[in-house]
């Protein structure tokens, strides 16, 4: 086990009983953090308390309050390195992994990912400005979106960010902007590849009912159109087939479809150098999840792209991919304080925590399962089956249904794992509940990277028309 703490107190973690009949092991595989349930620096100290990044979780809760997003720097860096290493080993040409920042967009995460040499995928002016503020070089950023505004396109073009043209409207708006531009716009073209993935199955069709990208039938027309646009420099093609995918075959099939697109684009005179195969690699949320390693995923994608290009006699493009979840999910966990407890005899026991669907909307949105332990007693026998509910006025506000935990009472601290992706970035203020703080832990230190919202912050954008001002 990785000993991240300077303190001699850290000891080898025993298997932890939680969230089901099987014990789970704290994350131990730094080569592919997406396969671990917990951050790679997770340990149990001599007092039996869980620590991550050398920080005792209950100390973090005392210092920063709960709910609290905790992000382990070592895990995030290990994931970045796993992608970069695998790409350079498995792909014979140049390559770059772009962090899909929709998974968790913040200035601090961007800075880390930029330091690790990755690029970034943004889908809005907000994500783009965050990336620029975090020091991501514009030439390593791509801007996605199926309905970009003129302002978003102008910002990207002005900063030298690559725009992923998703539809004709993008091209119309860029044509409108062209007279004001100082440089040609670096463009990629997104198309729907006819490969549809649900988590555990996929289908191939000629056309897809998707709001993203050009229909494959339109590809030739749009490529011809762009060849006549002086403002456009088409540098690449893009496709993305889905998220939380455990299968590798759809990615192999995608390579062939994209290589066909590359051949077509080059035959029409576009010097296309980049193939961007999107993201999608799944992670382990619960013990029974068994995603491929980052290395296997990259080896499959890289091998298939190289082979498809060889088969068509095409010069190798630069290979880009856009992992989001698999880079950041298992680096994160959320700490909650247990509050009320309600037992319905013969039916269910509810434990309510101080957050819920506003800081993690994934269970209510996708029925996503999670794994949790009591942060100060991770090794205690999980002798009760409980349902962990949030504090929102909604019966469906349940974070974990029927999980095994040691008997817990108010004041106990619950750690929910693998919340580093699509939690903070999808958080809301439902019920006017402020969003949690986020801390980055590393070598026994915790840095605040997102301040906790205060209830008063939520009033900042309210405007009371004068005629409604209460007369006192
Ligand atoms: N590239 C594009 C164009 C995407 O649309 C996405 C995700 C990614 C990359 C990153 O995919 P990843 O590696 O994270 O699977 N909110 C959902 C996930 C939505 C993913 C949307 N697109 C969830 O919480 O499961």
């Amino acid at each position: 086990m990785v000993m991240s703490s300077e303190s001699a107190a850290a000891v080898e973690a025993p298997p932890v009983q939680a969230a089901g009949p099987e014990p789970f092991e704290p994350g131990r595989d730094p080569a592919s953090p997406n396969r671990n349930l917990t951050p790679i620096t997770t340990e149990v100290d001599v007092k039996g308390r869980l620590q991550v990044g050398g920080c005792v979780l209950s100390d973090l809760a005392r210092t920063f309050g709960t709910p609290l997003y905790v992000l382990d720097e070592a895990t995030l860096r290990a994931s970045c390195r796993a992608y970069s290493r695998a790409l350079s080993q498995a792909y014979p040409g140049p390559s770059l992994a772009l962090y899909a920042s929709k998974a968790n967009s913040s200035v601090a995460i961007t800075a880390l990912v930029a330091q690790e040499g990755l690029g970034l995928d943004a889908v809005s002016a907000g994500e783009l400005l965050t990336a620029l503020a975090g020091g991501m070089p514009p030439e390593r950023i791509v801007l996605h979106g199926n309905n970009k505004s003129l302002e978003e396109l102008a910002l990207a073009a002005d900063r030298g960010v690559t725009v992923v043209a998703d539809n004709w409207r993008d091209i119309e708006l860029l044509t409108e902007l062209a007279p004001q531009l100082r440089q040609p716009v670096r463009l990629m073209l997104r198309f729907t590849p006819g490969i549809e993935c649900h988590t555990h199955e996929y289908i191939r069709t000629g056309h897809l009912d998707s709001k993203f990208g050009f229909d494959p039938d339109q590809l030739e027309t749009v490529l011809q159109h762009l060849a006549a646009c002086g403002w456009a420099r088409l540098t690449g093609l893009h496709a993305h087939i889905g998220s939380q995918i455990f299968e590798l075959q759809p990615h192999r099939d995608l390579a062939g479809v994209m290589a066909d697109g590359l051949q077509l684009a080059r035959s029409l005179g576009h010097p296309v150098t980049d193939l961007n195969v999107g993201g999608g690699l799944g992670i382990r949320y619960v013990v029974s999840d068994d995603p491929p390693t980052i290395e296997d995923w990259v080896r499959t994608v890289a091998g298939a792209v190289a082979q498809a290009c060889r088969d068509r006699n095409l010069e190798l493009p630069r290979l880009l991919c856009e992992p989001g979840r698999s880079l950041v999910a298992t680096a994160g966990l959320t700490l909650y304080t247990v509050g009320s407890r309600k037992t319905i005899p013969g039916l269910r026991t509810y434990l309510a925590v101080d957050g819920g669907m506003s800081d993690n909307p994934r269970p209510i949105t996708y029925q996503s399962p999670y794994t949790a332990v009591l942060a100060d007693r991770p090794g205690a026998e999980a002798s009760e089956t409980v349902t962990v509910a949030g504090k929102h006025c909604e019966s469906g506000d349940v974070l974990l249904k029927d999980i095994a935990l040691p008997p817990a009472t108010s004041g106990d601290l619950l750690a929910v794992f693998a919340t580093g992706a699509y939690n903070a970035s999808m958080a809301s203020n439902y019920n006017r509940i402020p969003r949690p703080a986020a801390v980055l832990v590393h070598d026994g230190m915790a840095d605040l990277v997102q301040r906790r919202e205060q209830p008063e912050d939520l009033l900042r954008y309210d405007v009371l028309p004068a005629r409604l001002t209460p007369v006192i």
Side-chain angles (χ1 to χ4, degrees):
M1 152 153 288
V2 180
M3 298 292 278
S4 68
S5 170
E6 298 304 310
S7 103
V11 294
E12 185 76 7
V16 173
Q17 192 75 40
E22 312 134 88
F24 84 83
E25 300 270 312
R28 287 169 203 268
D29 182 4
S32 199
N34 69 314
R35 289 187 46 79
N36 299 323
L37 280 171
T38 75
I40 61 174
T41 61
T42 305
E43 298 176 22
V44 178
D45 75 359
V46 283
K47 293 186 181 160
R49 305 169 305 179
L50 214 55
Q51 63 173 53
V52 170
C55 297
V56 175
L57 294 181
S58 46
D59 288 346
L60 295 177
R62 257 188 301 280
T63 308
F64 298 99
T66 58
L68 182 68
Y69 294 126
V70 179
L71 199 73
D72 181 42
E73 183 169 330
T75 307
L76 182 52
R77 287 192 190 275
S79 303
C80 293
R81 286 171 198 178
Y83 269 101
S84 300
R85 190 175 43 239
L87 278 168
S88 62
Q89 283 172 358
Y91 191 64
S95 58
L96 183 66
L98 312 171
Y99 168 52
S101 68
K102 70 208 79 186
N104 196 340
S105 171
S106 75
V107 175
I109 293 177
T110 305
L112 250 155
V113 167
Q115 261 185 20
E116 289 296 328
L118 272 64
L120 183 142
D121 135 19
V123 297
S124 66
E127 285 185 3
L128 184 50
L129 289 171
T130 305
L132 293 168
M136 183 59 74
E139 64 275 12
R140 281 197 251 146
I141 305 177
V142 300
L143 179 71
H144 277 287
N146 69 311
N147 192 20
K148 304 175 193 76
S149 67
L150 188 68
E151 293 73 21
E152 286 171 326
L153 289 166
L155 175 66
D158 181 60
R159 301 296 180 93
V161 163
T162 300
V163 173
V164 184
D166 197 275
N167 50 53
W168 285 107
R169 173 84 178 148
D170 280 343
I171 294 173
E172 280 161 27
L173 290 177
L174 285 168
T175 308
E176 220 173 277
L177 280 171
Q180 296 141 251
L181 299 176
R182 287 169 290 153
Q183 55 195 358
V185 184
R186 289 171 57 87
L187 267 193
M188 300 191 72
L189 210 59
R190 176 170 184 169
F191 68 104
T192 39
I195 295 169
E196 187 174 21
C197 282
H198 306 289
T199 300
H200 295 296
E201 58 183 280
Y202 82 107
I203 51 166
R204 292 200 60 186
T205 63
H207 302 267
L208 267 192
D209 182 2
S210 164
K211 69 172 183 171
F212 297 108
F214 286 92
D215 191 86
D217 267 2
Q218 295 214 324
L219 200 54
E220 186 161 355
T221 314
V222 69
L223 285 167
Q224 275 162 349
H225 178 86
L226 285 175
C229 293
W231 55 265
R233 215 177 108 226
L234 187 69
T235 58
L237 296 179
H238 172 277
H240 168 79
I241 55 177
S243 199
Q244 183 62 0
I245 301 170
F246 287 5
E247 287 173 297
L248 292 172
Q249 188 58 37
H251 298 283
R252 279 188 202 103
D253 291 343
L254 177 65
V257 177
M258 294 200 75
D260 286 342
L262 182 65
Q263 190 165 32
L264 178 65
R266 287 188 181 162
S267 73
L268 293 171
H270 291 288
V272 172
T273 51
D274 291 345
L275 266 200
N276 183 341
V277 297
L281 173 60
I283 68 135
R284 172 167 277 154
Y285 284 105
V286 290
V287 174
S288 56
D289 286 338
D290 191 19
T293 62
I294 291 173
E295 194 187 343
D296 280 349
W297 187 89
V298 169
R299 209 186 306 121
T300 301
V301 168
V305 167
Q307 186 62 47
C309 290
R310 250 178 260 127
D311 291 347
R312 291 162 184 78
N313 231 344
L314 295 169
E315 198 183 315
L316 275 190
R318 180 168 70 145
L319 176 60
L320 306 180
C321 59
E322 291 172 339
R325 190 190 316 264
S326 54
L327 269 185
V328 76
T330 62
L333 61 91
T334 307
L335 290 177
Y336 300 97
T337 303
V338 174
S340 63
R341 184 184 165 105
K342 172 180 176 180
T343 298
I344 309 160
L347 202 58
R348 197 181 301 284
T349 293
Y350 284 99
L351 281 186
V353 294
D354 52 355
M357 60 184 283
S358 61
D359 59 77
N360 183 359
R362 299 193 70 259
I364 197 165
T365 312
Y366 315 113
Q367 289 72 53
S368 304
Y370 280 88
T371 298
V373 295
L374 295 184
D376 278 342
R377 283 180 282 145
E381 192 194 345
S383 55
E384 273 197 346
T385 299
V386 295
T387 287
V388 177
K391 64 174 283 166
H392 299 82
C393 280
E394 177 121 357
S395 299
D397 177 26
V398 162
L399 288 176
L400 300 104
K401 198 165 178 211
D402 295 334
I403 65 154
L405 275 184
T409 53
S410 40
D412 278 336
L413 200 62
L414 189 77
V416 178
F417 297 111
T419 58
Y422 303 115
N423 273 227
S425 59
M426 290 173 64
S428 77
N429 290 123
Y430 180 46
N431 294 152
R432 290 233 147 169
I433 290 180
R435 279 171 295 190
V439 292
L440 185 68
V441 292
H442 178 59
D443 279 346
M445 284 177 311
D447 294 310
L448 186 67
V449 293
Q450 224 135 32
R451 280 198 297 271
R452 181 176 301 284
E453 256 176 359
Q454 300 302 320
E456 306 78 55
D457 293 332
L458 304 178
L459 305 185
R460 264 190 312 166
Y461 296 105
D462 281 23
V463 179
L464 187 65
R467 67 191 175 79
L468 296 181
T469 305
V471 183
I472 305 163

